[in-house]
Amino acid sequence: MTTPATAHHPEPGRTAGLSRLTAFARSPEARPALLGFLGACLISLGGLGAGSTRLHDPLLESLHLSWLRFGHGLVVSSILLWGGVALMLFAWLFLGRRVIDRSATEYTMVATTGFWLAPLLLSAPVFSRDTYSYLAQGALLRDGFDPYVVGPVENVNSLLDNVSPIWTTTTAPYGPAFILIAKFVTLIVGEDVVAGTMLLRLCMLPGLILLIWAAPRVARTLGANGAVALWICVLNPLVIIHLMGGVHNEMLMVGLMMAAIALTLGDRPAWGVSLIALAVAVKATAGIALPFMVWMWMHRMRARRPMGHVRAFALATAASAAIFVAVFAVVSLLAGVGLGWLTALAGSVKIINWLTVPTAVANLVNAVGGLLLPVNFYAVLEVTRIVGIGIIAVALPLLWWRFRHDDREAMTGIALAMLVVVLFVPAALPWYYTWPLAILSALAQSRPAIAVIAGFSTWIMVIFKPDGSHGMYSWIHVLLATACAVGAWWWLARGRATEPAGSATPV
């Protein structure tokens, strides 16, 4: 039997791809990629001491590097880490100038992502300790507990040592798909936190790959620029450093959500709804997109054959509901859990920072009103949070009805709905803003919009500390973050106006 000649065809393709990457690395186009790579290396080194490190780290002790976590060693680690963040931010903004003049290509964005991500795959968690909670929740399911009924504290093991105290008694607020992934990780690594962190981060990679695949497709469908979309929602430091460096399940959720939208816009709405069900099975927030995707499916039904609005809407709704329930039921059955995770979504009330309007208002009332009258901060906070939930409850159906006429309107509705949720929920964290940014990447591509996104992303990036805490109660830290944000905005907003978004053909 002879071997078909086609068996050797993939090799030239791989060689061509490697040659193209090598040529890119040697070209002036790669300067932001190489600068960001250096920054990522510094973040990985600094993260050993100044990141979201374990309370007891035998690995560092065995390498005689435990000094990096204390005293002068911690100062050195912090300088390295913040220096790396600064380099990555500068590289991102430098690349942003080329995004604005439309000289950057999609290949440049994808290759740059690889350069920036590679060192972070080996880093300790940075800017968040959530990965330790993920592992502990996965161990609950592994050991026969229901993570939607009990918190990690009920399953005594060494993983508990690194879980933030406020989360040890909190039930899991994540969907069955993610809990199943966390169980899979702990089945393989046991209580090995280092191996668990690395494997969990690798489990986030499919989300990033889906986002890289979907974002430019959605942008092109709406007449926008694919490279700009990748710059906004993939190369953004909130994604590279927070989602991947910090190991957050938002990476899976956002990637699945954008892939679902891309498939729906590409006339495969059934597959789109299937993926949005998987995204919700990771984190409930993705469900915000589903009602707007029903409009997209309805438009496609009416484009294929004549039918009234009511009939098309009824068919699209029924099909979406049936597919969603079927997929979600299968995932829940595989995980062996029910819907108890929905009751744990309120666990975020334990977080108090200035990133949401209700909490910011309560803090301002406490700070200003407290100068004149006694103020019970927590009583005020409870009221402002109830008002915030009310605003969300009213705004979401109004946005769904208002933005229904075409695909661009539906995308705009998803973006605005997610912004409303992030701004008015009881508490938010930096990586929450990656939800609306992914949608806005196809909509907000003018120079002013890009400059605002750069400024805001820089502020969020700088205001939080590498150990997962924040500096919003330190005026010096707030002023520093604000100065960096203004600088980022000015860097991209200055100069002559550029051609309209989408006028250049993405490469």
Side-chain angles (χ1 to χ4, degrees), residues 141-191:
L141 190 61
R142 177 198 66 188
D143 296 335
F145 296 90
D146 188 338
Y148 301 150
V149 175
V150 299
V153 72
E154 298 295 328
N155 186 25
V156 179
N157 56 54
S158 59
L159 293 173
L160 281 176
D161 295 341
N162 302 290
V163 179
S164 298
I166 64 171
W167 302 127
T168 56
T169 58
T170 304
T171 55
Y174 311 116
F178 183 71
I179 294 297
L180 198 57
I181 291 170
K183 173 188 175 181
F184 162 76
V185 170
T186 57
L187 279 172
I188 293 176
V189 305
E191 272 72 55

Side-chain angles (χ1 to χ4, degrees), residues 37 44 48 69 149 187 222 239 247 257 307 314 420-421 464:
F37 175 80
S44 298
L48 292 173
R69 303 175 63 203
V149 175
L187 279 172
L222 299 180
V239 174
V247 195
M257 178 183 70
M307 67 173 70
V420 168
V421 169
F464 268 72

Side-chain angles (χ1 to χ4, degrees), residues 361-399:
V361 170
N363 275 293
L364 287 173
V365 169
N366 183 58
V368 178
L371 298 175
L372 304 173
L373 299 169
V375 175
N376 185 330
F377 170 74
Y378 291 99
V380 175
L381 180 62
E382 184 176 357
V383 172
T384 57
R385 284 178 165 177
I386 291 173
V387 172
I389 294 298
I391 291 173
I392 292 173
V394 172
L396 293 193
L398 290 178
L399 288 171

